[in-house]
Amino acid sequence: AGMAAALGDEDLDNDDYYSLLNVRREATQEELRASYRRLCMLYHPDKHRDPELKRQAEQLFNLVHQAYEVLSDPQSRAIYDVYGKRGLEVEGWEVVERKRTPAEIREEFERLQRERDERRLQQRTNPKGTISVGVDATDLFDHYEEDYEDMPGGGFPQIEINKMHISQSIEAPLTTTDTAILSGSLSTQNGNGGGNISLALRRVTSAKGWGEVEFGAGDMHGPLFGMKIFRNLTPRCFVTSQCGLQFSSRGVRPGLTTVLARHLDKNTMGYLQWRWGTQSAMNTSIVRDTKTSHFTFALQLGIPHSFMMLSYQYKFQDEDQTKIKGSVKTGFFGTVVEYGAERKISRHSVLGATVSVGVPQGVSLKIKLNRASQTYFFPIHLTDQLLPSAVFYATVGPLVFYLAIHRLIIKPYVRSQKEQELEKHRESAATDIARKKQEAESAVRLMQESVRRIIEAEESRMGLIILNAWYGKFVTDNSRRHDRAKVIDVTVPLQCLVKDSKLILTEASKAGLPGFYDPCVGEEKGLKVLYQFRGVMHQVLSGDTEALRIPKQSHRIDADT
């Protein structure tokens, strides 16, 4: 519905009031009034005696008056700038076309209602899930060819799934301040595993903090009781404290974790963490997150793990939100270097791959897919040793695979989907386009007398004469000659806009200008003008949303050519 509405606003709804009045989106009240008066003089019904022309003039006059009323009122103009013409309509029907049949309107309304209910449920439950599948692929690089040559399948590398983890959580708002959180997980490794389930009750105590009580049970660790408190100490500082009691056959095992955080500046946070229990430790970290980068430094002293970690992530400012990252972590366990990248592959999906090289951990490839609130994680262990071949294939393999899939499958699929959606919108807008075409033809007929006077005045002063003007899709690439050019003649409407030997068009789409309509919905359009100024031929090709000023010396056609 969002995509349909967006396409409808941008491509199918040609009632662009700014374009109709030929003013900038930042136009002042004086500019609006001047344009409005000029169009009123052109379309005033009293200037036409023929009943049919008079009726057409009344329609266009009312349309111009409606555009001026909306843009001259600051509140209406603000709503129109954000939501378009449909935002000015009432009762929440702005995305339902009233020209449809009652059955179509009812079906559309029910579909939109279902989507609203689904979005509301998604927001209220906030489901989160993780699926992790560990893969042991060490046999690819460390294969026992001689010893197991005679065994069935011994000549082929064995790739095994040696561990899995699945977790899921949902939230259930009880009141405006109370929320219940239900979560569970299942884990297995080398044939052994278990699961647990927990229920947390969270209450927002004030604008400065909240508290949470947790009850859990599992087949590995026994019952769990925990408490968590969050509190803003100052506008720049907050603290989180969590304590828990784990009941097992070995007795009660208490644990306590406290985190103190402070905003060091607009983009930088500092954290101090103290953890007491089965794995006591103190951790200090600094995180700096900007529009183009993410930096983390952490230092931990603890039993049994102490380490230092440094990571950096660079964010490209492209539409796919591409990121490259690298990190190094060293401590009592050894040293691990990681590098990788992630990229948005669809509206709700992000795909990432990371290569991990460490001593004594070996080489691993980690693939992660985030789909909305679900995470799918695939750690693939390649070798226990630092083999250059494993590092090379872990780096190059995913990159080549992604490029091949993206070029051969993803791009053609996305292109096909866009073409199908565009075709559907063209079909649904056929009636609207036909109406626009009829309005444009009526406007051209109403302009004839004014255009004759303008041409006579311009010829007398050797001024600006529009000889030919075409608007639409032009095929200039030889490789695309099979594409049919879709253009309309707009010579008369442009000549009518000439004033004092000048023609000024704003950056708005030209499809909304008087006498214009969109001949090719959803495709790139341009305006090609052949004109005469001071007896010299000029020519210009301008983009649909480019501002245009005529005449210009650069448009002059060299007589020798």
Side-chain angles (χ1 to χ4, degrees):
M3 183 178 294
L7 282 170
D9 290 340
E10 295 174 8
D11 297 329
L12 306 179
D13 186 1
N14 291 329
D15 288 331
D16 186 343
Y17 292 155
Y18 290 99
S19 183
L20 178 65
L21 299 178
N22 191 28
V23 293
R24 302 173 301 120
R25 298 192 73 85
E26 302 82 12
T28 62
Q29 292 295 329
E30 290 74 16
E31 292 174 326
L32 287 170
R33 275 194 293 270
S35 178
Y36 173 61
R37 287 170 182 164
R38 189 164 185 269
L39 291 175
C40 283
M41 291 176 62
L42 177 64
Y43 294 137
H44 203 288
D46 294 343
K47 296 182 64 176
H48 304 279
R49 296 181 178 179
D50 182 88
E52 180 62 22
L53 289 179
K54 191 179 185 71
R55 185 186 64 80
Q56 295 171 354
E58 287 178 353
Q59 292 179 353
L60 291 170
F61 183 83
N62 291 335
L63 184 60
V64 170
H65 180 68
Q66 181 184 14
Y68 177 70
E69 275 194 333
V70 170
L71 298 186
S72 61
D73 179 66
Q75 185 177 8
S76 299
R77 184 174 180 178
I79 296 173
Y80 177 79
D81 286 345
V82 177
Y83 300 106
K85 182 182 175 183
R86 290 168 177 162
L88 300 169
E89 300 177 5
V90 295
E91 297 181 2
W93 286 77
E94 58 271 8
V95 291
V96 178
E97 299 287 349
R98 286 180 170 81
K99 62 177 176 288
R100 297 181 181 180
T101 65
E104 290 175 329
I105 292 177
R106 185 163 54 252
E107 181 182 350
E108 179 77 356
F109 182 79
E110 290 173 354
R111 182 182 66 82
L112 293 173
Q113 184 65 39
R114 286 195 302 270
E115 291 185 356
R116 282 193 293 266
D117 291 341
E118 289 174 2
R119 285 196 299 269
R120 192 179 297 115
L121 179 63
Q122 183 85 4
Q123 293 168 354
R124 287 177 62 85
T125 59
N126 191 25
K128 296 178 182 178
T130 302
I131 297 178
S132 177
V133 180
V135 179
D136 184 354
T138 55
D139 209 27
L140 286 172
F141 299 92
D142 192 8
H143 189 43
Y144 293 95
E145 295 182 1
E146 297 180 0
D147 295 345
Y148 296 95
E149 196 174 44
D150 298 331
M151 292 184 63
F156 297 95
Q158 299 296 314
I159 299 177
E160 301 176 350
I161 296 177
N162 59 358
K163 56 184 176 181
M164 293 183 65
H165 174 80
I166 300 175
S167 64
Q168 185 75 36
S169 70
I170 58 171
E171 296 182 2
L174 305 177
T175 66
T176 55
T177 59
D178 298 328
T179 303
I181 304 168
L182 182 65
S183 59
S185 66
L186 291 172
S187 300
T188 178
Q189 183 169 357
N190 295 325
N192 298 314
N196 63 76
I197 188 170
S198 65
L199 173 66
L201 300 174
R202 179 181 299 173
R203 165 167 287 188
V204 178
T205 55
S206 67
K208 292 186 176 181
W210 49 265
E212 185 176 289
V213 178
E214 181 183 7
F215 305 91
D219 58 0
M220 291 188 296
H221 302 294
L224 168 71
F225 172 77
M227 295 182 63
K228 188 174 183 178
I229 297 173
F230 171 87
R231 180 77 176 178
N232 280 310
L233 302 180
T234 68
R236 298 169 60 91
C237 183
F238 68 85
V239 63
T240 301
S241 184
Q242 182 177 4
C243 61
L245 296 175
Q246 184 76 60
F247 300 90
S248 66
S249 57
R250 300 180 181 179
V252 180
R253 303 165 66 180
L256 176 64
T257 301
T258 301
V259 178
L260 177 66
R262 178 178 174 80
H263 288 274
L264 303 180
D265 61 33
K266 181 181 178 181
N267 302 109
T268 309
M269 289 286 295
Y271 298 90
L272 289 174
Q273 183 187 71
W274 176 67
R275 185 172 64 245
W276 173 78
T278 55
Q279 294 186 349
S280 299
M282 290 191 66
N283 184 296
T284 301
S285 58
I286 297 175
V287 179
R288 180 170 178 80
D289 189 21
T290 66
K291 186 178 180 180
T292 59
S293 65
H294 183 93
F295 170 82
T296 302
F297 171 78
L299 177 64
Q300 176 172 304
L301 299 176
I303 302 174
H305 298 299
S306 293
F307 65 84
M308 182 179 68
M309 189 269 288
L310 189 68
S311 71
Y312 178 79
Q313 182 182 86
Y314 182 78
K315 308 172 186 177
F316 291 90
Q317 301 303 302
D318 59 351
E319 61 179 8
D320 294 321
Q321 301 177 7
T322 307
K323 301 175 184 177
I324 58 173
K325 52 188 176 181
S327 69
V328 57
K329 185 176 180 180
T330 182
F332 293 163
F333 59 86
T335 300
V336 176
V337 175
E338 292 187 347
Y339 57 90
E342 68 177 44
R343 194 176 195 184
K344 189 175 182 180
I345 59 174
S346 71
R347 185 179 180 185
H348 300 291
S349 301
V350 177
L351 180 65
T354 303
V355 179
S356 177
V357 182
V359 178
Q361 291 82 5
V363 181
S364 298
L365 171 63
K366 303 174 183 178
I367 299 175
K368 183 170 70 172
L369 174 65
N370 286 328
R371 173 69 178 170
S373 58
Q374 302 293 312
T375 301
Y376 304 89
F377 186 53
F378 301 91
I380 305 172
H381 188 49
L382 299 178
T383 65
D384 294 319
Q385 308 172 45
L386 293 184
L387 297 181
S389 58
V391 176
F392 174 79
Y393 285 112
T395 304
V396 176
L399 182 60
V400 173
F401 181 77
Y402 170 77
L403 292 175
I405 294 296
H406 188 264
R407 182 175 294 273
L408 299 177
I409 297 178
I410 296 178
K411 287 184 70 175
Y413 175 76
V414 172
R415 191 184 306 117
S416 173
Q417 290 292 104
K418 286 183 178 179
E419 290 176 355
Q420 291 178 11
E421 290 172 359
L422 186 57
E423 188 61 32
K424 288 180 181 178
H425 287 294
R426 284 175 183 160
E427 293 174 0
S428 65
T431 305
D432 189 51
I433 295 301
R435 176 178 62 84
K436 289 292 181 183
K437 182 179 179 181
Q438 185 178 5
E439 288 180 359
E441 292 171 349
S442 299
V444 170
R445 285 194 293 270
L446 295 172
M447 293 174 183
Q448 297 293 344
E449 185 62 33
S450 297
V451 166
R452 277 194 290 269
R453 291 197 301 268
I454 293 172
I455 291 177
E456 289 174 0
E458 293 297 323
E459 284 179 341
S460 66
R461 68 175 80 162
M462 293 285 287
L464 178 60
I465 307 294
I466 307 296
L467 301 177
N468 273 305
W470 302 93
Y471 173 69
K473 175 186 177 184
F474 299 93
V475 180
T476 56
D477 188 351
N478 290 330
S479 64
R480 298 173 58 191
R481 284 294 177 185
H482 62 280
D483 289 352
R484 184 169 58 88
K486 304 171 185 176
V487 295
I488 58 174
D489 187 344
V490 291
T491 307
V492 172
L494 280 190
Q495 185 69 66
C496 197
L497 293 174
V498 172
K499 184 179 180 181
D500 299 330
S501 299
K502 292 180 182 178
L503 173 62
I504 301 174
L505 301 178
T506 66
E507 65 276 5
S509 172
K510 310 302 181 289
L513 288 169
F516 283 63
Y517 68 93
D518 193 341
C520 45
V521 174
E523 300 183 58
E524 290 188 8
K525 291 173 283 292
L527 177 64
K528 188 174 183 179
V529 185
L530 178 66
Y531 65 93
Q532 182 177 300
F533 179 68
R534 293 179 181 172
V536 180
M537 300 288 286
H538 295 67
Q539 182 173 287
V540 60
L541 178 60
S542 172
D544 185 31
T545 56
E546 294 178 10
L548 179 63
R549 296 179 67 90
I550 291 177
K552 271 191 175 182
Q553 184 72 20
S554 58
H555 300 164
R556 182 168 175 166
I557 301 176
D558 193 341
D560 296 336
T561 60

